[in-house]
Amino acid sequence: MISIAPDRSLFADESALQAVRYLVGVDGGGTGTRLRLSDLDGRLLGQGEAGPSALGQGVDQAWRHIEQALQQAAEQAGLAGPQGLRHAECALAAGLSGANLPAACSEFLASQPGYAAVIVVNDGYTTVLGAHGGQPGAVVASGTGAVGEVLRRDGSTDCISGWGWITGDEGSGAWLGLKAIRHAQQALDGRAVPGPLAFAVWDLTGRSRESVLAWCAAAGQHGFAQLAPLVFMAADKGDAVAQRFVDEAVTELEALARALDPQSELPLALAGSIAKRLESKFSGNIRARCVEPQGDSADGALHLVRSALNAKMGSR
């Protein structure tokens, strides 16, 4: 069932692949990077975390943070130092936000620091593999961004949403943050009545036109996503505008779930802080299909690289 587009992977020749001793699974988003290191049999050896590795924030940054997370994992595994973990002994799969852009994937593969194998796919794909153990199912993932991924019973896959925080990712943290800043701007202009949400945003950005503009210019996807908790806190305080934004997020994520599985027959896993926070607000049919994920995107990346390596080399 596991398939990889030809332009999403880079493998050394067979003799070099024989030297692979370790598997690396990466989950990289707009907020942070999580990495797991295992042996060829899937036994976990170490884990690491670092800053964001979404491709939309730059390939150099992505590799820098992946390498930082790998160093942590290697230290946990007792493989640190010059004679410890070598790139040539590792096969890596990375589920990265923004990997739906072919040019970014090509640059990522061309910049890789010497791994025996590298696979790069969208983090939604590794999330669905991890959530359902490689079996058919759907995932609605909403954290900094939002994306839905499905692995159908016939082996086909589909990706819904995930268009990026500027024009899409409805129901995500950055999407909520954009709504929050627009409301704060309108309240500052006198076009809306300020309430708990506007005041909370102003506490962060300042209350002058100049300070708000400066904050927006520097914020980026991660900065806007940091406003999402303010929306939830304001809704809890009875702010009607914030509550409307929360309700709209529920509507968007439910629409995503239905688009992934129109027949409503596959198990549905939720990933990301926003999706998990909103689960209790979903309608009965969607909530009834929700299952606890078996693993996360980093687990899915390990599943992917192990399957791909076995396919290249035969069962090992």
Side-chain angles (χ1 to χ4, degrees), residues 156-298:
S156 65
T157 65
D158 202 0
C159 177
I160 306 291
S161 189
W163 290 104
W165 68 280
I166 295 176
T167 59
D169 285 7
E170 296 87 349
S172 70
W175 180 84
L176 281 170
L178 286 168
K179 285 182 168 291
I181 199 72
R182 289 185 188 120
H183 171 64
Q185 292 169 347
Q186 291 166 0
L188 195 62
D189 282 346
R191 292 180 288 149
V193 177
L197 177 57
F199 288 116
V201 173
W202 291 338
D203 285 344
L204 182 66
T205 65
R207 200 174 297 198
S208 71
R209 184 181 187 87
E210 292 75 17
S211 66
V212 173
L213 285 171
W215 187 92
C216 291
Q221 180 186 24
H222 181 50
F224 283 108
Q226 288 182 317
L227 299 181
L230 304 184
V231 177
F232 288 110
M233 287 189 288
D236 291 341
K237 293 178 180 178
D239 187 310
V241 173
Q243 185 58 60
R244 186 174 77 247
F245 294 164
V246 171
D247 293 341
E248 289 173 357
V250 172
T251 298
E252 293 291 352
L253 295 183
E254 286 191 334
L256 175 53
R258 294 190 185 97
L260 288 168
D261 182 21
Q263 287 74 39
S264 300
E265 62 180 13
L266 294 172
L268 174 67
L270 303 178
S273 59
I274 304 297
K276 291 178 179 177
R277 181 157 190 167
L278 295 177
E279 178 178 2
S280 64
K281 300 181 182 294
F282 289 162
S283 61
N285 176 269
I286 293 176
R287 195 168 62 248
R289 290 191 291 115
C290 288
V291 299
E292 193 66 26
Q294 297 179 34
D296 59 16
S297 179

Side-chain angles (χ1 to χ4, degrees), residues 72-91:
Q72 291 181 19
E75 289 173 357
Q76 285 187 15
L79 295 170
Q83 302 304 317
L85 188 67
R86 296 188 299 113
H87 289 115
E89 296 179 318
C90 298

Side-chain angles (χ1 to χ4, degrees), residues 69 106 151 153 273 292:
S106 296
L151 176 61
R153 301 193 192 283
S273 59
E292 193 66 26

